[in-house]
Amino acid sequence: MTKKSQSPTISPKGNATKYLSYTEAWTRIKLARQEGFFFEAIALEESMITDRLISYLVFVEEIKQTTEVYNKRFGELLKLWKRLHPMPIAAMGRSNLQEAVDQWRILRNKAIHGMVKSHPGSPTEAVDDFLAVAESAASEGEILARAVSEWCRKMKTARKRSL
């Protein structure tokens, strides 16, 4: 797949390279979902959620060392997030964003591993059923990636104003 997004007509503020990467990722998610390439969409959505959580956790100094950024798995980042924010976060129609992302993590695992992984001697899930799970994970992942991105942006903005 080649680059599908258009260059912005105005210069983005802040980290322009990150902005362009996200623009390309959102374009690829949309195209991947339209074309039925749900794994690409899921992988990009997880990457975005992970990136936003890392950005927030570094901002609030929960993650301090550069090496920690690359050593934290998705599930570990969610645990840190839940520990810092134990009360449910309502966002984009979800009453508990942290739990919704954690449940999506489980659905994502089922989608990513479900096509060929099974107990030895047991059949795999039917391909149509598997693809329905993958499509659902890609759809929900897009919503959650947007919700986490927006929540992190708001939290960082609010914290900067209070300092």
Side-chain angles (χ1 to χ4, degrees):
M1 184 184 270
T2 59
K3 184 177 176 192
K4 298 292 182 180
S5 64
Q6 301 295 318
S7 296
T9 56
I10 59 171
S11 296
K13 296 178 184 174
N15 187 341
T17 304
K18 177 79 92 170
Y19 172 84
L20 294 173
S21 294
Y22 266 71
T23 299
E24 183 65 24
W26 284 119
T27 298
R28 285 176 176 268
I29 288 169
K30 180 181 176 184
L31 290 170
R33 288 189 54 220
Q34 287 173 353
E35 298 297 323
F37 296 112
F38 305 121
F39 300 128
E40 180 171 356
I42 292 166
L44 289 168
E45 293 156 358
E46 178 186 349
S47 181
M48 289 175 143
I49 293 169
T50 297
D51 180 69
R52 294 297 79 210
L53 289 177
I54 287 170
S55 176
Y56 175 73
L57 293 168
V58 167
F59 182 77
V60 297
E61 299 180 346
E62 186 64 28
I63 296 176
K64 294 175 180 65
Q65 297 179 357
T66 305
T67 55
E68 283 186 85
V69 169
Y70 299 104
N71 293 333
K72 298 288 185 196
R73 293 184 7 222
F74 191 40
E76 292 174 295
L77 293 170
L78 293 177
K79 285 180 185 176
L80 285 171
W81 185 34
K82 287 179 180 182
R83 192 181 82 227
L84 283 175
H85 296 278
M87 298 303 296
I89 297 165
M92 293 185 82
R94 306 305 183 273
S95 60
N96 188 333
L97 184 58
Q98 306 98 308
E99 188 59 30
V101 173
D102 201 24
Q103 290 302 308
W104 179 77
R105 178 185 60 82
I106 294 165
L107 182 63
R108 176 221 58 188
N109 284 343
K110 185 176 181 183
I112 295 297
H113 300 294
M115 183 177 274
V116 296
K117 191 175 182 180
S118 68
H119 189 274
S122 298
T124 56
E125 192 171 355
V127 173
D128 288 341
D129 294 342
F130 162 77
L131 290 174
V133 169
E135 183 175 15
S136 176
S139 176
E140 180 69 4
E142 182 174 351
I143 293 165
L144 293 173
R146 289 189 189 282
V148 170
S149 292
E150 182 63 17
W151 179 84
C152 288
R153 185 191 62 74
K154 285 179 181 178
M155 292 299 292
K156 288 169 75 174
T157 299
R159 187 167 174 132
K160 285 176 186 175
R161 284 185 183 150
S162 71
L163 295 177

